[in-house]
Structures are given as structure tokens and as C-alpha cells.
Amino acid sequence: MKKLINATETVLTESLDGFVSAHSDLLALGEEHKFVRRIQPKAGKVALISGGGSGHEPLHGGFVGHGMLDAACPGQVFTSPTPDQMLAAAEAVDGGAGTLFIVKNYEGDVMNFEMAAEMAAGEIMTVLTNDDVAVETSTFSTGRRGVAGTLFVEKVVGAAAEEGRDLAALKALGDRANAATRSMGVALTSCTVPAAGTPTFDLGENEMELGVGIHGEPGRRRVALASANEIAEEMVTAILSDFGDRAHGGEASGEAFVLLNGFGGTPLMELYLMFNAAEQLLARRGVTISRSLVGNYVTSLEMAGCSLTVTLLDDELRRLWDAPVHTPALRWGL
């Protein structure tokens, strides 16, 4: 294992120190490295808090700032944060209007955020993201996984919170944005968790994992390595079909936001090539991309591969996506 680290037990704390120092104009670090928060929480605004295991950067800490999250709680690599982290974050960014948790649908995350909500003094509601269409018949008690579509939810809910919407309205918006979003990923290699020191799973030189999870969980199936066009066809078909009766003919159509997300080990050249393939396939099936992102936003350490996220847009979701944002990972309009 070759990694730029000092010791496996200090990877997270040293990384957080560097992250907050590099973005000291935007962020502050919570006591005992429990969370990162906006340097100036906004009074009278619903506080938005998310979090999860580290190793997916810039998710979630990279989305803390104006127009998105107020705080993010980082767990150890691929490990859920603890309830005391969420409680500390909620107290630190409380604006007096309640708190909204945005939680990816993994058993540990769901359980710990629920425990924090039960122990908190103020009013807390939760939006659960579960955009991963790869989980057709789930073996997980919590159902399908929350993956890169979480970024879209955090962005539009963050914009609405800046406008002053109340807690119930923000939860309803988050649930609606999640319902409009589907994702699917493919892995070409595994990743290596520093504490483990060995790859999470084994893939042959000519194999790929279709529908892989962001922690290296098994996908729909393991198949022979295919061309970019064939991979894009698989993902687009799975995503559009999963929208079901949301559109005529059983598939999605109309205007969409698309995220072509890298898992950490794939060059941008290849990600843009995949975006091109996906765009052409979507256009043939009646989906027009009006908003997009390409890059490493929800990663899996150094895994090679990518995911495709499609969100069906309406006027409100488009406007909230376009609203100003100023975070370490997303900045426009300010």
C-alpha cells in the first residue's frame, strides 16, 4: 500500500486540520475534530447538517458554506460518524429555526443520526437519500443506498434554507429532490482503506463491477470490461427505467441535471468522455441536459470508475441549483 500518510490512526485528524486550514475563510473545526462548520453560522436560518464516513471527499465537508450545509460530521474512513458528533454540530450551528439532517441511506448513518435526533433539545427533521438504482432487490435492511445524488439534495435544500424557508418546507423539498434523482456506478479497480492496507475487493485485469457502492459494496454483477459507450448504455438504461411511471412510456424524459462523478482514480479526460457518451444516449431517449457537473465529487478513496446521476428538473429545482453557493468544492454566483 502506497499512500501519503504518517500513521493510519491519524489520517483523518491530520487531513481535517489541513482541510480547514486551506479553507479558513469559510470553515471552522469543531472541538475534538467532531465536525466542520461554516465560520459564521446564520441566525434565524434552519441549520443543515450531513455527514458520513470519510474517504468520499469532497462529500460532505467540501459542501459546507453559503448555500449548502452548515456543518458536516466526518466518521473514520468508510465508518459512520457517532451521535455525539451530530449533537455537537447541531449545537454549534443552531440558528434558532430547527435542524435538518441530510442522511445517506446506510444502516450505521441512519441509526446514529436517529439517535442524535432523539437526544437533541431542538426540533430536528431528516431527509434520507437513496438514489442508487443498482440495488434492485436489497440485501440491506435499510434498502437502496444513498450515493452521489446526495450532492444535488444538499445544494437545492441549502439554497432554499438561505432564502429562509422553514424546517417542514425544507424537508419536503429534500424528499422531492431525492425522489427526482437516480444514480448508478461502475468500478474498474478497488480502493484500499488505510487501516486495512489491502484492497477492499479483487477485480481481474479484464473485469469491472457494475453498480458498485461507494464503499466497494457489490454491484448488480461483475462482467468483462466493456467500452465507454457500453458502460454508459448500461447506466442510462438502468437509471431511466427506474423512474418508472414518472413519465410516459415508463421512462424519464425532459430536462435534467446530470452529474458524471469520478470515484477518485479516473482521469478527467475519461470522465468527460463518459459524459459525452451519456449525453448522446440521454438525448436519444428524450432527456435534455440543462445543468451538469463533471469531476470527483463523491469519491471512494482512489477507486477507478465513475457514477452517473440524473435528476429530473422542474423550474424550482433548476432555480435552486443555480442559486449562489460558496463552499470549498462548489462556488458560483457570489
Side-chain angles (χ1 to χ4, degrees):
M1 178 182 74
K2 293 182 179 179
K3 289 186 179 289
L4 297 173
I5 64 175
N6 294 310
T8 56
E9 61 269 19
T10 61
V11 168
L12 178 56
T13 56
E14 291 177 344
S15 177
L16 288 171
D17 286 339
F19 173 59
V20 172
S21 180
H23 301 287
S24 58
D25 58 325
L26 298 174
L27 305 177
L29 185 60
E31 185 180 356
E32 298 178 357
H33 295 80
K34 288 182 177 179
F35 58 88
V36 295
R37 63 167 175 84
R38 290 171 68 160
I39 197 166
Q40 292 181 323
K42 187 175 179 181
K45 185 183 84 67
V46 173
L48 305 185
I49 300 175
S50 192
S54 298
H56 305 304
E57 290 76 17
L59 189 82
H60 293 275
F63 304 134
V64 173
H66 178 90
M68 288 192 79
L69 300 174
D70 293 281
C73 303
Q76 293 295 322
V77 175
F78 292 0
T79 302
S80 301
T82 58
D84 68 302
Q85 290 180 254
M86 296 95 164
L87 280 172
E91 291 172 359
V93 298
D94 180 17
T99 300
L100 184 69
F101 287 160
I102 300 176
V103 184
K104 300 189 306 301
N105 196 31
Y106 293 93
E107 191 167 4
D109 289 6
V110 172
M111 178 180 67
N112 288 347
F113 272 100
E114 283 181 350
M115 290 176 62
E118 290 170 359
M119 293 185 288
E123 185 179 10
I124 294 180
M125 293 185 178
T126 298
V127 169
L128 200 64
T129 63
N130 60 351
D131 51 301
D132 188 2
V133 305
V135 183
E136 295 174 294
T137 303
S138 176
T139 59
F140 301 97
S141 61
T142 49
R144 67 166 64 189
R145 306 173 293 221
V147 288
T150 306
L151 180 158
F152 185 84
V153 175
E154 291 178 353
K155 171 62 183 75
V156 297
V157 174
E162 293 290 347
E163 294 178 349
R165 295 197 202 181
D166 65 26
L167 182 58
L170 292 176
K171 174 177 168 47
L173 173 65
D175 289 341
R176 186 164 70 83
N178 175 69
T181 302
R182 303 288 190 278
S183 301
M184 186 173 179
V186 60
L188 307 183
T189 69
S190 179
C191 58
T192 299
V193 175
T198 57
T200 302
F201 59 93
D202 294 317
L203 270 178
E205 188 65 28
N206 295 308
E207 289 183 319
M208 61 182 184
E209 185 78 25
L210 277 170
V212 70
I214 58 174
H215 308 99
E217 303 96 332
R220 287 190 173 191
R221 62 187 186 278
R222 187 165 295 188
V223 296
L225 184 64
S227 70
N229 285 343
E230 291 170 317
I231 295 170
E233 174 73 40
E234 181 86 24
M235 292 196 293
V236 167
T237 298
I239 287 170
L240 297 190
S241 298
D242 194 80
F243 278 107
D245 60 6
R246 286 209 49 177
H248 299 297
E251 282 196 350
S253 61
E255 184 182 352
F257 160 79
V258 167
L259 166 62
L260 202 295
N261 172 66
F263 285 146
T266 301
L268 269 173
M269 180 178 70
E270 295 177 29
L271 297 182
Y272 280 115
L273 187 155
M274 283 295 299
F275 180 85
N276 180 61
E279 181 178 34
Q280 293 181 41
L281 289 164
L282 288 166
R284 290 175 200 156
R285 296 166 82 155
V287 178
T288 301
I289 301 175
S290 66
R291 301 292 185 272
S292 61
L293 281 179
V294 177
N296 293 303
Y297 292 98
V298 182
T299 61
S300 185
L301 294 171
E302 81 284 17
M303 183 186 290
C306 68
S307 64
L308 177 69
T309 297
V310 176
T311 299
L312 300 182
L313 293 177
D314 56 29
D315 290 343
E316 180 184 39
L317 292 178
R318 187 194 321 106
R319 181 185 66 78
L320 291 170
W321 176 261
D322 289 344
V325 61
H326 191 188
T327 72
L330 288 183
R331 300 189 187 193
W332 60 75
L334 285 174

